[in-house]
Amino acid sequence: MKYLFASAAALAVAGPACAQDFALKPVAEARLRYEHAQQDGLAEDDSDAVTVRARAGFTASSGGFSATMVGQGTLAIVDDYYDGLNGAATRPIIADPQNVALYIAQLQYRTSALTLTGGRQKIALDDERFVGNVAFRDNGQTFDAVRAELTPVKGVKLDIAYAWSVRTIWGIDGVGARQQAIGGDNLFANLSYATPLGTITGFAYLVDQDEAAVQAYRLSSQTYGLRLAGSHRLSPAAQIGYQLSYARQSDYHCNPNDYAADYWLADATLDVQGWKLNAGYEILGASKNGALTSFQTPLGTNFKFQGWADKFLTTPPDGIRDLYVGGGYGWKQAGPFSALTLQGVWHRFDSDRRDQHYGDEWNLIASAKLRRTQLSVRYARYDAHSFATDSQKLWLQADWSL
């Protein structure tokens, strides 16, 4: 990161013209979370974790240039759980290992038509299905990368990133299949166009996972697809939002699996005077050529999809079909709280091949904001039929930011 320190210093000692608009902005975030996990079939079927996650740093800017550096630390106050690296694997996993790390270390140049970013950075594309930050986990996911975002004309955006390292949620102690960093030549490309119907995005994600020692490169893939996301106001009090997406994935680089699989998504949300109804159908398909593999999203924010019980972070060999229906209500203000929401979602999970009913899941959440603090209570219950085992999870969480 020598270039980052050198460039930050250059900003600080720039000439008088630059010094006039020099700004230094602090970054400070804190999270306190209790997570309980219960899973049938384990010798000890309960885990309890109380973790504190803190981030601190700064952004120094002058003109169109900026430098950002943020460090983070995660501490387990109560550690009666298996974090994926430490503790007894006979307990349910709660994927928040203790950690101290450099979270963000980036340089950026921004104009009205171009943004260039280099260094350790967050990359979250579209709905984060394929490339995301995994912000729900304490340690997050970042990328050592260079990224260019170009808007040549109004409504058109080209977003290209090359990442040579993925900094995973497992932190500095990550090893084996749960490495702290996974190298490789990853390329992410998006070309989007805003239309009256919605934003149409063509994308290509070339994922190169150098994980030979443990996984034999099995998660390296090339994915090409098209996405439409938009909304339409039905009346002054009602609005409908929609997403449609298709992608085709196949093996890439050193992946020993010869496969090809499809991805489909259809999703609609209706908002009416505080009420919200949502329904969708998502398919991560099994290989069409008979190979025992399926559509994978190793760099996505997978917690957001297919239920919070995390049973399908890795797609089963026979693929998965997720039918979900949900609803909720929100208040702009309720006493001292703002943005108070209550939501629930039901999922039915089936295989894409061989006609298996994996299971069902309920997800419930209540959240509100109190000044600078976001509060939430979250619950997940997975009822197994032919995949995994019955599980329950509960979260109590408070997030504060400067």
Side-chain angles (χ1 to χ4, degrees):
M1 294 296 174
K2 291 182 180 178
Y3 69 91
L4 181 67
F5 291 105
S7 299
L11 286 173
V13 301
C18 292
Q20 291 179 0
D21 63 0
F22 177 80
L24 186 64
K25 180 181 179 181
V27 175
E29 301 175 12
R31 168 185 288 173
L32 175 64
R33 177 160 67 201
Y34 166 69
E35 181 170 346
H36 171 78
Q38 186 276 325
Q39 179 178 323
D40 288 357
L42 295 176
E44 299 176 86
D45 62 2
D46 288 282
S47 279
D48 291 282
V50 177
T51 57
V52 176
R53 198 275 314 282
R55 291 178 181 153
F58 67 88
T59 295
S61 60
S62 181
F65 294 92
S66 66
T68 300
M69 183 169 292
V70 179
Q72 72 172 9
T74 300
L75 175 66
I77 301 174
V78 175
D79 60 356
D80 296 330
Y81 69 104
Y82 174 51
D83 65 13
L85 304 173
N86 307 290
T90 54
R91 290 180 179 272
I93 187 171
I94 295 176
D96 288 325
Q98 297 192 100
N99 183 44
V100 176
L102 185 61
Y103 182 61
I104 300 292
Q106 70 175 42
L107 293 174
Q108 189 172 87
Y109 173 70
R110 182 188 295 271
T111 70
S112 59
L114 176 66
T115 299
L116 298 174
T117 309
R120 187 162 301 170
Q121 58 188 282
K122 294 187 289 186
I123 301 179
L125 301 177
D126 297 321
D127 60 356
E128 301 188 56
R129 193 30 159 148
F130 303 106
V131 180
N133 178 231
V134 198
F136 181 77
R137 299 274 43 124
D138 282 346
N139 296 320
Q141 175 174 269
T142 56
F143 300 83
D144 293 339
V146 290
R147 182 182 184 187
E149 300 168 77
L150 176 65
T151 307
V153 295
K154 184 179 180 180
V156 176
K157 181 179 180 180
L158 176 64
D159 189 334
I160 299 178
Y162 165 71
W164 59 89
S165 179
V166 181
R167 315 300 297 192
T168 73
I169 65 171
W170 303 110
I172 57 175
D173 294 327
V175 294
R178 294 171 176 147
Q179 302 173 55
Q180 64 166 312
I182 301 176
D185 297 314
N186 301 280
L187 180 64
F188 315 135
N190 271 16
L191 178 61
S192 60
Y193 176 57
T195 74
L197 187 61
T199 299
I200 300 173
T201 304
F203 55 85
Y205 302 129
L206 308 184
V207 175
D208 177 17
Q209 298 267 276
D210 288 346
E211 45 169 2
V214 178
Q215 305 285 9
Y217 300 103
R218 68 180 181 85
L219 293 178
S220 295
S221 65
Q222 51 186 329
T223 302
Y224 305 92
L226 194 66
R227 168 184 168 85
L228 169 67
S231 62
H232 178 70
R233 185 156 293 281
L234 303 175
S235 72
Q239 177 174 287
I240 187 170
Y242 42 84
Q243 303 176 67
L244 297 171
S245 187
Y246 168 77
R248 178 79 164 178
Q249 183 180 95
S250 59
D251 52 283
Y252 178 66
H253 197 55
C254 295
N255 191 329
N257 299 308
D258 179 15
Y259 79 101
D262 296 325
Y263 171 86
W264 299 88
L265 171 68
D267 178 279
T269 301
L270 178 65
D271 286 283
V272 182
Q273 294 184 331
W275 291 97
K276 178 178 290 187
L277 300 175
N278 172 250
Y281 193 52
E282 184 183 44
I283 302 173
L284 280 75
S287 177
K288 302 305 180 185
N289 62 4
L292 292 178
T293 190
S294 52
F295 199 106
Q296 301 293 333
T297 60
L299 302 184
T301 300
N302 294 341
F303 178 82
K304 293 176 59 178
F305 303 89
Q306 298 171 342
W308 301 332
D310 282 349
K311 296 301 179 181
F312 303 101
L313 296 180
T314 299
T315 309
D318 287 320
I320 183 170
R321 295 173 177 248
D322 176 14
L323 172 66
Y324 55 91
V325 179
Y329 188 78
W331 296 263
K332 292 183 179 179
Q333 196 72 36
F337 300 100
S338 61
L340 175 62
T341 61
L342 302 174
Q343 296 177 352
V345 182
W346 170 80
H347 295 261
R348 177 188 168 96
F349 302 113
D350 296 286
S351 65
D352 182 51
R353 178 171 55 195
R354 296 201 303 171
D355 193 26
Q356 303 173 71
H357 178 37
Y358 290 148
D360 303 279
E361 182 169 331
W362 279 99
N363 293 158
L364 304 172
I365 185 172
S367 64
K369 192 169 184 179
L370 182 62
R371 298 181 181 87
R372 293 183 178 273
T373 303
Q374 182 73 36
L375 304 169
S376 64
V377 180
R378 192 186 300 252
Y379 173 77
R381 179 187 178 93
Y382 176 76
D383 296 316
H385 287 254
S386 65
F387 186 87
T389 58
D390 292 351
S391 300
Q392 297 184 70
K393 292 190 176 185
L394 173 69
W395 298 265
L396 305 176
Q397 183 169 321
D399 287 280
W400 173 90
S401 61
L402 186 64

